[in-house]
């Protein structure tokens, strides 16, 4: 009797218990099995394994891939752009006039805009052609299921647009939903990849997290990730194309201000915190996926420009530390950069060694790799191949290197041809499709890809999120020098240069000339000349005994050039003029892109100097007038001259001789 009772208890205790997920079904029927419900995504009236949310993800993926046509699997390997517009209306198909315009444009190679009704048809560039992308073409005909949406619209309209696109996907043969990605959206001021009216909360600097990193609090970075996830999901976005975890050991590199720090350890710590916030313990409804970039860590560019990653200090592993941290936290997407390496003279997206042997093999990555946008068209950087490959050749190299997806590309027919010609195996296509489908399943999109437009309007720019954003902007200021001028007293007469007078009026009386002022506030940016770096590279020098000498490269109009990150001479002269008035001057310098040089002359000029990372004017003024006491620290060192910059090794941190301000420096009052 006791044995029967134990057997009964064990059988009851071992019975699987499931939590019914919320289903969102607009174009398919609901299947019922026992007390559970499922979506009949392939419309066959039977519960397939991939439709059964109780099954392990690997089983669901295998079942779905087995049902997909080659065309459907190849469609997953493309990550093109479609942007929501302010109207929030889905563009299902082109008008006859637009179709004719595109036909003429393709025939004539014309590079101008297409006007209403299709005029100027012969002049449309590829970028403009992408603006004519339609749901019918991308979802139904080309089977794309990963789409970059960098458009802007009011939250309700944005959410309705996302739902409209998902309805079209749900109605397709297998009902595979769309993963919508986006570049950074939470900057204090929109710009770069996403521009227009800012409907998301104002939190970070333009493209990265360097400002929050200066605050030194991983909990703040984690909270940023949580808010980003909530606001992205509210409008139907699922993947953040970031964070940018390159380590800024080369101060001349033009994307440093999108990173975290010169310290790989600090970058790794902040990367882990952001991933924890965005993805949570388990990615699902309410959370998003991060897309770590740029593999393999693109800070150490030769001379800060050009296309070659170099490691003169033998410090390549140092740049992998943030990647190890992100992968450990569950990152399932990685973006390769444009650059070439000296290992095989190939850019990373074309290199089997970098993409498969190192990222998947050595670092244990389990997700999918996507190229950066435009990598396919740029072609391989190997000198012997420059100018000698077609776009189809490039796709072949990229896919066989282990890269699963191609950013911005829209020609799946080329990959279909590669498979039919035996140049890419269908097994490799299956592998790529399986890796990518992890994103769709883990996000819960097969169960419910839809969002509540009314709720979206409540989540974005909530009072709580905006208050947090202001605090993030405040910590995005590092006080470098101060002779006692700060904190300034509110109510004094202020002359502002580079600060909105209407904002400054909340702190004092704004006057029209420096002579009238009690204090002068000068806010500016550092904008070094960063020409070059976006064309065919110079050939790498062969290593004796290891690599045969390569043929001379083709002429290179975009070779690496000297990148000068001195504070611009005209701005230095203007600052000198302001200081010459005899009034106390507070200079706020916002580095843009690269780091900057602060010479002893510049360092000594103003009575106080702040380094800021794209905060609003109000956040800077809060520091100047004591509403926020500065405590942030430099996440990178600031060199004292261009000669010091040239003496550094591109891959080694903290090696600038006699820096003006060392890593970790920051005053308070």
């Amino acid at each position: 009797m006791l044995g029967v009772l134990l057997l009964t208890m064990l059988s009851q205790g071992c019975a699987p218990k499931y939590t019914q997920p919320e289903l969102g079904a607009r174009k398919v029927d609901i299947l019922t099995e026992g007390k559970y419900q499922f979506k009949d995504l392939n419309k066959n009236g039977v519960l397939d394994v991939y439709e059964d949310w109780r099954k392990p993800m690997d089983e669901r993926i295998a079942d779905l891939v087995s049902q997909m046509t080659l065309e459907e699997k190849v469609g997953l390997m493309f990550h093109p752009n479609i942007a929501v517009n302010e109207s929030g209306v889905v563009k299902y198909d082109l008008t006859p006039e637009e179709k004719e315009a595109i036909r003429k444009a393709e025939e004539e190679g014309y590079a101008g805009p297409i006007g209403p009704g299709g005029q100027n048809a012969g002049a449309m560039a590829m970028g403009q052609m992408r603006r004519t992308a339609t749901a019918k073409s991308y979802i139904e005909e080309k089977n794309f299921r990963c789409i970059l949406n960098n458009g802007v619209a009011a939250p309700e309209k944005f959410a309705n647009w996302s739902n409209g696109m998902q309805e079209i996907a749900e109605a397709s043969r297998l009902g595979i939903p769309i993963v919508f990605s986006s570049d950074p959206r939470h900057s204090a001021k929109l710009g770069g990849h996403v521009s227009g009216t800012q409907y998301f909360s104002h939190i970070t600097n333009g493209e990265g997290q360097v400002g929050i990193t200066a605050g030194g609090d991983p909990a703040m970075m984690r909270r940023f990730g949580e808010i980003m996830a909530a606001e992205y999901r509210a409008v139907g976005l699922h993947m953040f194309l970031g964070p940018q975890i390159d380590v800024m050991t080369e101060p001349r590199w033009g994307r440093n201000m999108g990173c975290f720090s010169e310290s790989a350890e600090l970058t790794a710590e902040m990367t882990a915190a952001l991933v924890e916030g965005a993805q949570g313990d388990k990615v699902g409804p309410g959370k998003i996926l991060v897309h770590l970039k740029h593999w393999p860590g693109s800070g150490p560019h030769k001379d800060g420009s050009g296309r070659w990653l170099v490691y003169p200090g033998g410090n390549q592993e140092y740049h992998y530390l943030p990647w190890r941290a992100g992968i450990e936290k569950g990152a399932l997407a990685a973006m390769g950069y444009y650059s070439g390496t000296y290992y095989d003279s190939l850019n990373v997206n074309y290199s089997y060694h970098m993409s498969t042997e190192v990222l998947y093999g050595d670092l244990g990555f389990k997700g999918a790799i996507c190229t950066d946008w435009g990598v396919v068209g740029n072609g391989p950087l190997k000198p012997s191949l420059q100018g000698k490959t077609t776009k189809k050749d490039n796709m072949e190299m990229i896919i066989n290197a282990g890269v699963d997806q191609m950013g911005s590309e829209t020609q799946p027919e080329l990959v279909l041809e590669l498979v039919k010609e035996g140049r890419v195996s269908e097994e490799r296509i299956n592998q790529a499709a399986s890796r990518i489908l992890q994103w769709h399943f883990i996000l819960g999109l097969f169960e419910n890809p839809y969002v509540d437009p009314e709720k979206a309007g409540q989540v974005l720019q909530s009072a709580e999120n905006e208050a947090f954003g202001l605090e993030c902007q405040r910590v995005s200021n590092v006080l470098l020098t101060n002779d006692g001028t700060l904190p300034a007293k509110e109510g004094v007469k202020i002359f502002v240069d580079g600060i909105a007078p209407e904002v400054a009026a909340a702190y004092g009386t704004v006057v029209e000339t420096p002579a009238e002022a009690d204090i002068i506030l000068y806010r500016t940016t550092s904008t070094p000349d960063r020409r070059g770096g976006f064309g065919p590279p110079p050939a790498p020098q062969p290593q004796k005994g290891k690599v045969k000498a390569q043929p001379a490269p083709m002429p290179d109009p975009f070779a690496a050039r000297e990148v000068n990150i001195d504070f611009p001479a005209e701005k230095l002269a203007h600052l000198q003029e302001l200081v010459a008035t005899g009034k106390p001057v507070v200079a706020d310098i916002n580095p843009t892109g690269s780091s900057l040089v602060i010479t002893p002359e510049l360092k000594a000029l103003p009575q106080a100097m702040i380094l800021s990372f794209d905060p609003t004017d109000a956040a800077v003024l809060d520091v100047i007038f004591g509403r926020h006491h500065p405590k942030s620290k430099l996440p990178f060192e600031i060199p004292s001259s261009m000669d010091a910059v040239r003496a550094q090794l591109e891959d080694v941190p903290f090696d600038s001789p006699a820096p003006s301000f060392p890593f970790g420096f920051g005053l308070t009052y």
Side-chain angles (χ1 to χ4, degrees):
M1 183 67 180
L2 180 60
V4 173
L5 179 61
L6 286 172
L7 182 61
T8 302
M9 293 173 64
L10 285 170
S11 64
Q12 290 175 346
C14 292
K17 297 179 180 179
Y18 302 104
T19 301
Q20 171 72 52
E22 179 183 353
L23 301 182
R26 300 189 179 185
K27 297 293 182 179
V28 299
D29 294 331
I30 296 295
L31 301 172
T32 300
E33 185 174 285
K35 62 179 182 179
Y36 300 116
Q37 293 185 319
F38 310 85
K39 293 172 66 174
D40 186 15
L41 292 164
N42 63 2
K43 299 92 175 163
N44 67 353
V46 177
L47 180 60
D48 291 85
V49 172
Y50 88 92
E51 299 166 338
D52 190 343
W53 46 261
R54 298 168 301 182
K55 299 292 186 182
M57 183 172 66
D58 289 350
E59 292 182 18
R60 298 182 72 185
I61 291 173
D63 179 60
L64 177 56
V65 171
S66 73
Q67 297 191 41
M68 296 175 73
T69 65
L70 179 61
E71 289 78 8
E72 288 165 338
K73 289 181 285 190
V74 167
L76 286 171
M77 300 174 68
F78 289 77
H79 202 137
N81 303 32
I82 298 183
V84 61
N85 56 41
E86 286 279 5
S87 74
V89 176
V90 171
K91 187 178 183 68
Y92 176 72
D93 199 5
L94 298 174
T95 65
E97 292 82 6
E98 288 170 329
K99 291 178 180 178
E100 178 62 14
I102 290 177
R103 187 191 67 77
K104 290 183 179 179
E106 291 173 338
E107 278 184 3
E108 301 173 23
Y110 178 78
I114 289 194
Q119 63 262 38
N120 301 333
M124 187 165 56
M126 287 307 297
Q128 293 158 331
M129 290 177 69
R130 281 201 298 270
R131 296 191 191 104
T132 66
T134 65
K136 179 181 179 181
S137 170
Y138 278 25
I139 301 172
E140 295 179 344
E141 297 173 353
K142 297 189 176 185
N143 301 294
F144 296 152
R145 291 299 184 274
C146 297
I147 293 174
L148 169 59
N149 178 4
N150 276 348
V152 297
E156 296 88 345
K157 292 180 178 180
F158 200 131
N160 277 319
W161 182 90
S162 298
N163 288 343
M165 295 286 283
Q166 295 288 8
E167 283 188 31
I168 296 168
E170 188 180 280
S172 66
R173 191 179 76 89
L174 295 173
I176 300 173
I178 303 166
V179 168
F180 283 111
S181 66
S182 174
D183 280 292
R185 287 181 173 270
H186 283 86
S187 56
K189 296 171 289 186
L190 274 181
H193 296 306
V194 182
S195 59
T197 304
Q198 174 59 293
Y199 294 106
F200 289 75
S201 295
H202 305 78
I203 295 176
T204 67
N205 64 304
E207 286 287 330
Q209 302 79 34
V210 65
I212 298 178
T213 302
D217 184 0
M220 178 174 275
M221 190 69 74
R222 189 175 300 110
R223 179 60 183 148
F224 166 49
E226 292 170 353
I227 291 174
M228 187 199 318
E231 295 197 349
Y232 271 40
R233 285 305 290 257
V235 298
L237 295 170
H238 315 106
M239 176 180 283
F240 169 46
L241 294 187
Q244 188 179 319
I245 61 174
D246 311 284
V247 183
M248 46 175 113
T249 52
E250 167 49 67
R252 293 169 290 187
W253 188 46
R255 299 191 66 173
N256 278 330
M257 292 306 115
C259 304
F260 290 89
S261 173
E262 185 173 352
S263 163
E265 292 84 1
L266 180 56
T267 299
E269 180 182 24
M270 291 295 182
T271 296
L274 180 55
V275 176
E276 286 173 358
Q279 297 197 167
D281 295 331
K282 183 179 180 182
V283 181
K287 291 296 182 181
I288 60 174
L289 289 169
V290 299
H291 199 135
L292 302 180
K293 62 183 186 183
H294 304 90
W295 173 251
S298 299
H301 274 84
K302 175 67 175 172
D303 297 326
S305 183
R307 283 296 181 84
W308 295 99
L309 298 175
V310 293
Y311 307 95
N315 214 24
Q316 190 166 2
E317 283 287 334
Y318 184 75
H319 293 262
Y320 295 165
L321 292 179
W323 288 90
R324 295 185 186 279
I327 291 168
E328 182 179 340
K329 288 296 180 181
L332 288 173
M335 183 184 297
Y337 202 49
Y338 306 93
S339 309
T341 71
Y342 283 79
Y343 178 82
D344 50 15
S345 299
L346 287 169
N347 34 337
V348 294
N349 290 123
Y350 291 73
S351 171
Y352 180 84
H353 170 70
M354 294 307 305
S355 296
T356 295
E357 293 179 341
V358 179
L359 185 55
Y360 283 110
D362 296 348
L363 272 63
F365 181 59
K366 303 296 184 185
I369 308 174
C370 181
T371 71
D372 210 330
W373 268 234
V375 164
V376 174
N378 286 350
L381 301 187
K382 193 176 183 70
S384 61
L385 295 176
Q386 288 174 28
K388 299 177 182 178
T389 61
T390 65
K391 180 173 275 194
K392 188 164 77 171
D393 295 333
N394 297 345
M395 289 183 177
E396 176 189 10
M397 293 179 69
I398 288 168
I399 294 169
N400 287 335
V403 176
D404 307 295
Q405 201 173 62
M406 291 167 282
S408 81
E409 299 301 325
T410 59
Q411 294 178 275
E413 64 273 12
L414 297 181
V415 178
L416 293 172
E417 291 174 12
L418 288 170
V419 176
K420 291 173 183 177
E421 294 166 7
R423 295 163 63 181
V424 171
S425 70
E426 190 160 358
E427 289 75 19
R428 174 69 189 101
I429 301 298
N430 291 343
Q431 180 188 52
S434 299
R435 287 172 175 173
I436 294 162
L437 283 169
Q438 293 179 91
W439 301 346
H440 301 70
F441 279 105
I442 200 170
L443 286 161
L445 299 180
F446 280 92
E447 282 62 64
N448 187 13
Y450 300 109
V451 293
D452 181 347
E454 184 177 350
K455 182 180 177 182
Q458 299 166 0
V459 172
L460 271 65
Q461 290 189 4
S462 70
E464 180 183 357
N465 291 355
E466 285 291 281
F468 173 78
L470 176 58
E471 191 59 25
C472 290
Q473 294 164 43
R474 285 169 166 170
V475 304
S476 296
N477 296 279
V478 180
L479 183 59
L480 296 181
T481 66
N482 183 22
D483 70 350
T485 296
L486 301 185
K489 187 178 296 185
E490 292 199 31
V492 299
K493 296 177 181 178
I494 314 167
F495 176 79
V496 293
D497 187 338
I499 294 175
E502 62 272 19
V503 177
Y507 299 82
T509 302
V510 179
V511 296
E512 294 187 0
T513 65
E516 302 172 74
D518 296 316
I519 189 170
I520 296 172
L521 309 181
Y522 175 44
R523 190 171 188 205
T524 189
T525 62
S526 174
T527 53
D529 182 8
R530 295 188 302 276
R531 294 170 298 176
F534 289 93
Q541 294 300 314
Q543 301 174 28
K544 292 182 179 179
K546 294 184 179 180
V547 182
K548 294 181 180 180
Q550 300 286 354
M554 61 191 293
D556 179 16
F558 298 103
R561 297 179 175 90
E562 170 75 344
V563 177
N564 185 356
I565 59 171
D566 274 321
F567 189 63
E570 68 278 7
K571 294 183 177 181
L572 177 63
H574 182 55
L575 179 57
Q576 289 170 330
E577 291 174 355
L578 294 174
V579 171
T581 64
K583 302 298 178 73
V585 176
V586 179
D588 171 73
I589 302 175
N590 194 128
T592 53
S594 305
S595 184
L596 78 162
V597 165
I598 295 182
T599 62
E601 177 190 17
L602 174 58
K603 180 178 178 179
L605 265 179
Q607 278 65 41
M609 182 184 294
I610 297 169
L611 195 73
S612 68
F613 303 108
D614 279 350
T616 59
D617 286 345
V620 176
L621 291 167
D622 282 352
V623 172
I624 292 173
F625 287 94
R627 296 187 187 181
H628 172 83
H629 287 216
K631 57 184 179 181
S632 298
K633 307 296 181 185
L634 282 176
F636 51 87
E637 67 182 2
I638 299 181
S640 57
S641 70
M642 278 302 300
D643 284 341
V645 170
R646 297 182 191 102
Q648 294 182 243
L649 299 178
E650 287 91 340
D651 60 326
V652 176
F654 321 129
D655 65 336
S656 182
S660 286
F661 299 98
F663 168 79
F665 181 86
L667 301 176
T668 188
Y669 53 69

